[in-house]
Amino acid sequence: MQVDYKKKILQEIEEIPYNKLANVYKIIHVLTGELKEGDKKTGRRISLKGIWKGSQIDESLFSEAKKTLFPYERH
């Protein structure tokens, strides 16, 4: 016995309240984009080199971040 998943999905969608459909559409849109065959990922990472160029970061910000992220370590 073969299940018609498209039919089952459409039936589920019919039960969703109208005011929630915009959110469901966004989810489905993302899923279909991820599931499309042929759109394979390259496996290459995009570099973030230079993203903070020109930014001034005070050393105290690093210290505070370390305390927050690693409270079990002595600083």
Side-chain angles (χ1 to χ4, degrees), residues 34-62:
E34 289 293 320
L35 297 174
K36 284 182 182 175
E37 292 182 40
D39 292 343
K40 296 185 180 183
K41 308 270 188 233
T42 62
R44 292 179 24 210
R45 292 185 179 189
I46 298 171
S47 174
L48 297 177
K49 183 179 179 181
I51 193 169
W52 303 110
K53 187 176 183 178
S55 297
Q56 298 295 320
I57 300 174
D58 187 355
E59 190 65 35
S60 66
L61 294 174
F62 284 112

Side-chain angles (χ1 to χ4, degrees), residues 6 17-19 27 32 36 38 43 53 57 64-66 68-69 73:
K6 187 172 187 175
Y18 186 79
N19 63 340
I27 293 167
T32 55
K36 284 182 182 175
K53 187 176 183 178
I57 300 174
E64 195 61 38
K66 286 180 188 177
T68 303
L69 294 171
E73 290 185 7

